Amino acid sequence: MTISISDLATVRARHPEAIAEAAARRTRRPLIGDTGRLMIVAADHPARGALGVGGDRLAMANRSDLLERLCVALSRPGVDGVLATADILEDLLLLGVLDDKVVMGSMNRGGLAGARFEMDDRFTGHRAEDIARLRFDAGKLLLRIDYADPGSLATMYSTARAVDEMAALRLPVFVEPFISRRGDDGVRNDLTAEAVTRSIAIASGLAGTSAYTWLKLPVTEDPDDMAAVLETSTLPAVLLGGEVGKDQDAAYEKWRKALHLPTVQGLVVGRSLLYPARGSVEDAVDTAVGLL
């Protein structure tokens, strides 16, 4: 039974078992479909308290609006699935929009944006067993490494164990690595070619096996560096969107160039598609799909 967004709170209050029932009857699909590419819409930012888009610090705070945007994005041709935390994925399950979609559970969300403990990024989201129990298709985790912050070692260790747990269940896990530094304006990720190369090397070697590990990577500051950077690993990779800003066309061009590289299998993009600087969600998603 499909419900509306306005009914979600009522169903959650009176029939919490409906979530497990919706997960059990969801029609699944292979991770890689007929196109051989992946186009995933990301919406796991709110669980870190990262609600801002552009100049609006609370753009993602309205859950009904976010869900409407996600439903539109998932309805567009060429969109393969969604990455989100449990609360959002369960809303989407109840709304009946996840059939034949790739569903990725976001695993570590403890490194809250702006917190002193941001680099000690605990696994407060999906566990491997949750992803398997709900019949989801993959997991995603963030690994930010600050050489000056001991919290990064705790995150690195727990990341390795999470990769092991996902591999034991034969579930793909997408690792998003960065070399990061904390400054006066908070934590910033280093997107130079050397830093991204180093982050790929570290992430690729984690855990007792890399058989089910994918990489989720940014495009470097100079897109022309990506070919050499991606030679660091044979693991399959997807490109992340990140904060695009007002120049959407420049971002699209960076993605287009990198998508031609042999290990790149697709895109995982969130705010720039759900809250585009100009135009509609439909237009932004269709343009990104066209790049594939």
Side-chain angles (χ1 to χ4, degrees):
M1 179 181 66
T2 302
I3 66 171
S4 65
I5 293 174
S6 61
D7 294 327
L8 286 170
T10 300
V11 172
R12 282 178 169 276
R14 299 180 183 177
H15 303 287
E17 71 282 358
I19 292 170
E21 293 169 357
R25 64 175 177 264
R26 181 178 72 89
T27 304
R28 298 180 69 181
R29 52 153 279 178
L31 181 67
I32 302 296
D34 295 338
T35 66
R37 301 289 238 171
L38 269 179
M39 177 68 222
I40 303 294
V41 179
D44 57 344
H45 312 84
R48 284 191 191 280
L51 301 169
V53 179
D56 186 348
R57 296 177 62 188
L58 297 176
M60 299 186 76
N62 186 314
R63 182 54 54 88
S64 293
D65 178 62
L66 174 59
L67 291 172
E68 288 175 358
R69 292 169 182 270
L70 280 167
C71 289
V72 169
L74 287 166
S75 73
R76 303 307 297 170
V79 173
D80 293 291
V82 62
L83 159 66
T85 46
D87 54 334
I88 293 174
L89 291 182
E90 289 165 358
D91 281 344
L92 294 173
L93 277 172
L94 292 173
L95 293 171
V97 297
L98 295 183
D99 281 338
D100 298 311
K101 297 296 183 184
V102 172
V103 181
M104 292 187 186
S106 191
M107 301 178 76
N108 61 327
R109 313 306 296 167
L112 302 182
R116 292 181 63 186
F117 53 82
E118 187 169 351
M119 303 312 293
D120 187 352
D121 198 350
R122 305 292 176 97
F123 281 69
T124 57
H126 285 102
R127 300 166 297 177
E129 63 195 79
D130 299 320
I131 293 170
R133 172 176 50 82
L134 290 164
R135 302 172 62 248
F136 292 163
D137 305 298
K140 174 260 179 180
L141 55 86
L142 177 63
L143 175 62
R144 290 176 294 180
I145 300 169
D146 183 342
Y147 282 74
D149 192 323
S152 288
L153 178 59
T155 302
M156 192 172 169
Y157 176 82
S158 55
T159 293
R161 300 292 72 81
V163 172
D164 283 332
E165 291 164 6
M166 291 290 283
L169 294 169
R170 297 187 177 183
L171 287 167
V173 59
F174 289 67
V175 179
E176 181 179 346
F178 289 101
I179 303 298
S180 304
R181 295 179 180 84
R182 188 188 297 273
D184 294 338
D185 56 348
V187 175
R188 289 289 178 265
N189 299 322
D190 189 341
L191 300 184
T192 61
E194 180 178 346
V196 177
T197 297
R198 201 176 299 278
S199 73
I200 292 172
I202 293 168
S204 298
L206 289 176
T209 178
S210 62
Y212 292 88
T213 303
W214 287 57
L215 299 173
K216 181 171 178 275
L217 301 172
V219 177
T220 49
E221 288 178 349
D222 184 346
D224 292 335
D225 292 331
M226 282 298 288
V229 166
L230 287 170
E231 290 177 351
T232 309
S233 176
T234 58
L235 297 183
V238 292
L239 304 177
L240 61 91
E243 192 71 49
V244 168
K246 295 181 179 180
D247 194 350
Q248 288 184 179
D249 293 336
Y252 291 145
E253 180 61 17
K254 288 170 64 174
W255 298 340
R256 186 191 63 77
K257 288 182 178 179
L259 283 165
H260 288 289
L261 299 173
T263 60
V264 177
Q265 309 295 309
L267 287 168
V268 179
V269 187
R271 287 172 287 190
S272 58
L273 299 186
L274 296 172
Y275 300 86
R278 67 173 190 276
S280 65
V281 173
E282 293 94 331
D283 291 340
V285 171
D286 292 349
T287 301
V289 169
L291 299 175
L292 298 173

